[in-house]
Amino acid sequence: MVDIGVTRRIFRTILVTSTILCAAQANAQTVEDLQRQINELKAQIKALTEMRAASAPAAPAPAALEPVVSAQVAAASPSSASASTDVADTVAIATNVSAPQPAAVKGTPPRTAEPWYDRLLLRGYTQLRYNALLSGDRTAPDGQARLRSPHDSSINDDGGFSLRRVRLVLQGRITDDVSLYLQQDLGTAVNNQSSTERREHFGQLRDAYVDWFLDKGHSFRLRFGQSKVPFGWENLQSSSNRITLDRSDAINSAAPGERDLGVVAYYTPPRVQVIWDRLAENGQKLFGNYGAFGIAAYNGQGVNRTERNGSLMKVAMGTWPLELDGLGDAFRGQVLELGGAAMLNRIRPEVRSGGVSDRDFDDNRVALHAILYPQPFGIQTEWTWGRGPQFDAASGAIEDKSLSGGYVQLNYDVGKTPVGRILPYGRWQRYRGGWKASVNAPRLETDEIELGVEWRFKDALELTVAYANMKRREADERRIGRAEGNLIRTQLQWTY
């Protein structure tokens, strides 16, 4: 019995060696010498073919073999027509006795499939902060408010550097009509450790959702999972894209942490998308494409909190950009965006005695927004009204109370300069109402002015420096009154 593997190796060696030899010696040989070598090669191949015929049927060779061998042999004697004909016959024999190709493995994706690394993107950003208290109520006696902010824990007795955010995002397409988004924050803290000391820089889930696009133009989508609540324009805007250091108390009070677990439907008309795309190309700080219209249902208890009452939070939001070119040359290219949102919810706040309240509280509110994009001068404002849980000092218990507040912000886009892009801004904010994310839903009384400038001196590096005058009631129902202070606030952000 002939060893098929050995036979194949012998044949391939003879074929390749003979072909190369012919190519190397062609110019020094006569046509007769070349014909003699070809006849010898034919005889060898014929013998091998007869030996193999008894054990296995012939199989076609790879298509790539024929042009390579033909080109080599043709180069050996381009002037000899008879030799070329014989060589072609020899190649035909060789291709009939080559080894068969292995069958494709079942389940292996086709070679033309788009690789995973072209469908997924890993990105993120980090914010390093330092707050310097120039004057004010850094400390206070027990029962009196200290200068604190629910948005920045580094405004405290000791100050120092802090990592405000350390975000890492994995996003991309699963299929043409399904995409994923997963975001972790590695800059969160855990309280209630030994000796009540905080532990910094724990990882916490921020976003985990999938989008299902229901049309070819990707105008209509359904979002499932943990994602931002479509209430408030600046709530939806990423912190990496927001010009001010923190969100306003009033708007953010609707959804501290900005997220919850549920289902959302978003719709963006194509003509609205065209306007937003133009603004993005011009470097405007958009709120992110959360749809011109959105309607959602969430658990309603808050980000990363277990649902407690079985009722769902209902939210609806709409926003529409208006091009102002028709108002004259002074408004050419300007865009004014108007919109609003509404929320209906029942919530059980965390209580100081442990756990959550044993009864539901109203958490209903509306909000309006208007944004004139800075080209170069811009105005941004939002205001909200409603009712929510709030600690009442007189009764010593949480009650349903009214709330209201908002902000007015002025922006100016200096544009690109020799030292980078510069955007000065000023903001005034006010809020009177409960802060449902803190224990016992304490009442906040906020009046604040912030003047600052954002300087992007590198594509991946952005520095914000601001002066803030704060008058705040601390988010702790055990402390009364308001604290005041003046601060210099700084933040360095790098994106990747």
Side-chain angles (χ1 to χ4, degrees):
M1 176 84 52
V2 178
D3 189 312
I4 301 301
V6 174
T7 302
R8 290 176 181 171
R9 287 194 295 272
I10 294 173
F11 162 69
R12 290 172 183 164
T13 302
I14 293 173
L15 178 59
V16 174
T17 303
S18 300
T19 303
I20 294 174
L21 185 61
C22 288
Q25 298 177 348
N27 293 332
Q29 293 176 329
T30 64
V31 173
E32 290 76 8
D33 292 336
L34 183 60
Q35 185 64 57
R36 178 178 52 77
Q37 293 181 5
I38 291 174
N39 291 337
E40 293 175 356
L41 182 61
K42 280 185 176 181
Q44 293 173 347
I45 293 175
K46 182 177 179 182
L48 289 172
T49 304
E50 292 174 350
M51 293 171 62
R52 185 168 180 241
S55 58
L65 177 63
E66 183 173 348
V68 173
V69 176
S70 298
Q72 291 174 331
V73 177
S77 182
S79 60
S80 174
S82 60
S84 298
T85 303
D86 289 336
V87 168
D89 294 339
T90 304
V91 171
I93 297 173
T95 56
N96 286 332
V97 298
S98 297
Q101 296 299 299
V105 179
K106 186 177 181 180
T108 301
R111 292 180 180 271
T112 57
E114 187 178 14
W116 65 268
Y117 46 80
D118 285 341
R119 292 183 287 112
L120 296 178
L121 171 66
L122 185 64
R123 63 177 182 85
Y125 67 96
T126 299
Q127 295 174 342
L128 175 67
R129 284 194 180 179
Y130 184 82
N131 296 301
L133 183 64
L134 301 178
S135 63
D137 302 315
R138 181 194 300 269
T139 62
D142 291 344
Q144 296 293 317
R146 303 161 298 179
L147 190 62
R148 299 289 187 270
S149 170
H151 306 285
D152 189 344
S153 61
S154 64
I155 301 177
N156 56 35
D157 294 359
D158 302 314
F161 291 100
S162 67
L163 289 175
R164 180 68 179 88
R165 284 176 173 82
V166 184
R167 298 289 176 88
L168 193 61
V169 176
L170 176 67
Q171 67 180 110
R173 294 180 292 108
I174 301 174
T175 65
D176 288 341
D177 57 355
V178 178
S179 66
L180 64 87
Y181 191 96
L182 181 65
Q183 180 173 206
Q184 288 278 338
D185 190 347
L186 304 177
T188 59
V190 176
N191 290 311
N192 300 322
Q193 302 299 300
S194 61
S195 302
T196 69
E197 185 183 2
R198 284 163 51 97
R199 295 292 189 271
E200 307 286 350
H201 312 148
F202 275 72
Q204 186 184 76
L205 180 67
R206 306 306 290 174
D207 297 278
Y209 61 79
V210 63
D211 280 344
W212 177 24
F213 296 94
L214 301 182
D215 64 316
K216 293 183 179 180
H218 288 190
S219 297
F220 183 55
R221 77 187 79 171
L222 293 177
R223 177 167 294 176
F224 305 89
Q226 181 163 294
S227 67
K228 285 188 174 180
V229 176
F231 186 95
W233 195 90
E234 72 166 5
N235 274 358
L236 292 174
Q237 188 180 42
S238 171
S239 294
S240 64
N241 202 34
R242 189 182 60 249
I243 188 170
T244 56
L245 292 175
D246 296 317
R247 295 180 173 89
S248 64
D249 290 8
I251 303 303
N252 197 237
S253 68
E258 302 86 55
R259 295 160 175 84
D260 211 317
L261 186 60
V263 180
V264 198
Y266 287 119
Y267 174 66
T268 306
R271 61 175 177 169
V272 171
Q273 189 62 57
V274 169
I275 298 175
W276 284 343
D277 288 344
R278 176 172 66 82
L279 290 172
E281 290 174 2
N282 292 337
Q284 294 297 322
K285 292 180 174 291
L286 305 180
F287 79 131
N289 190 348
Y290 288 88
F293 303 98
I295 184 169
Y298 295 95
N299 282 342
Q301 194 66 21
V303 61
N304 296 325
R305 294 176 182 251
T306 304
E307 174 61 8
R308 295 295 187 178
N309 57 12
S311 66
L312 295 179
M313 175 173 68
K314 282 77 68 178
V315 183
M317 180 177 175
T319 188
W320 196 267
L322 304 170
E323 294 180 297
L324 305 182
D325 299 63
L327 299 180
D329 292 341
F331 294 91
R332 189 169 304 279
Q334 291 278 10
V335 174
L336 174 65
E337 188 165 324
L338 302 174
M343 173 188 292
L344 294 174
N345 189 28
R346 301 282 289 173
I347 189 173
R348 295 191 176 190
E350 187 177 356
V351 295
R352 194 160 298 282
S353 58
V356 299
S357 168
D358 57 2
R359 55 160 290 201
D360 294 342
F361 292 91
D362 290 335
D363 185 23
N364 307 324
R365 56 192 82 197
V366 296
L368 299 176
H369 66 258
I371 293 90
L372 179 67
Y373 289 93
Q375 301 185 87
F377 176 77
I379 302 175
Q380 179 177 321
T381 182
E382 295 187 78
W383 214 264
T384 186
W385 304 265
R387 294 184 66 82
Q390 181 184 139
F391 186 82
D392 180 73
S395 64
I398 303 174
E399 297 182 3
D400 291 309
K401 295 278 189 176
S402 62
L403 58 87
S404 66
Y407 69 93
V408 178
Q409 179 175 307
L410 306 180
N411 307 324
Y412 190 84
D413 189 354
V414 177
K416 294 183 179 179
T417 72
V419 295
R421 188 181 182 196
I422 299 176
L423 297 114
Y425 70 92
R427 183 182 70 173
W428 166 76
Q429 67 159 313
R430 171 186 171 87
Y431 179 55
R432 300 292 187 272
W435 190 256
K436 63 183 181 181
S438 293
V439 176
N440 272 353
R443 174 180 172 84
L444 295 187
E445 296 178 5
T446 303
D447 291 285
E448 181 177 303
I449 295 175
E450 181 175 311
L451 303 173
V453 59
E454 177 188 287
W455 174 31
R456 175 163 290 195
F457 55 94
K458 292 285 187 180
D459 288 341
L461 290 174
E462 177 181 296
L463 177 66
T464 301
V465 179
Y467 160 78
N469 174 261
M470 297 182 177
K471 296 180 181 178
R472 289 179 167 275
R473 185 166 182 168
E474 190 173 348
D476 188 332
E477 87 288 356
R478 299 168 298 181
R479 294 180 177 269
I480 62 174
R482 290 206 298 173
E484 299 184 21
N486 298 284
L487 300 89
I488 295 295
R489 310 185 66 197
T490 64
Q491 174 179 283
L492 179 67
Q493 173 179 292
W494 56 95
T495 57
Y496 36 88

